[in-house]
Amino acid sequence: QVRLVESGGGSVQAGGSLRLSCAASGNIFRMSTMGWYRQAPGKQRDLVATITRDGYTNYVDPVKGRFTISRDNAQNTVYLQMNRLKPEDAAVYYCNARALIMPAVWDYWGQGTLVTVSS
């Protein structure tokens, strides 16, 4: 069984920074691509960034140059460093673990952590 627990959300002013963490239990972390998604009120859940088990990263355009995703495989933890936050970054942020365990793709989600950004 896999459990993902996010932390680090909070309230900041525009231009500020936050660091989100996602701790994974279970033995799937090392084989998973980890990702951060976000969902603003009334909107769909959208991808923010991903990092493969080998450390390759991918970001959506709105956060490029401001957010950094990283992982610590020894600690089974993935991070999202968010700098120069904007009001439009406000959302519930969710951690995702995606693993290809043949013949299926397995997706696991955390409970979410709220980020609010005031202008």
Side-chain angles (χ1 to χ4, degrees):
Q1 185 171 351
V2 176
R3 185 164 176 250
L4 304 176
V5 179
E6 300 103 331
S7 61
S11 297
V12 295
Q13 290 189 326
S17 298
L18 283 174
R19 189 193 195 203
L20 306 183
S21 299
C22 172
S25 64
N27 56 7
I28 202 171
F29 183 84
R30 287 180 178 82
M31 66 177 73
S32 296
T33 290
M34 301 299 297
W36 287 96
Y37 290 70
R38 65 186 180 187
Q39 187 169 17
K43 297 188 176 181
Q44 66 182 21
R45 188 175 299 187
D46 291 326
L47 174 68
V48 176
T50 59
I51 184 167
T52 69
R53 59 184 182 178
D54 297 321
Y56 291 99
T57 59
N58 180 61
Y59 301 89
V60 296
D61 285 344
V63 308
K64 283 181 180 177
R66 299 188 298 122
F67 291 10
T68 302
I69 189 171
S70 61
R71 66 190 292 164
D72 184 338
N73 287 338
Q75 299 294 325
N76 283 6
T77 302
V78 63
Y79 305 96
L80 185 68
Q81 177 67 44
M82 306 186 294
N83 298 327
R84 290 184 280 133
L85 282 159
K86 303 176 180 180
E88 53 263 43
D89 294 318
V92 177
Y93 283 71
Y94 296 91
C95 177
N96 169 262
R98 174 165 292 180
L100 175 60
I101 305 174
M102 293 300 290
V105 175
W106 296 80
D107 267 313
Y108 300 92
W109 294 92
Q111 83 288 350
T113 186
L114 179 64
V115 172
T116 58
V117 184
S118 57
S119 57

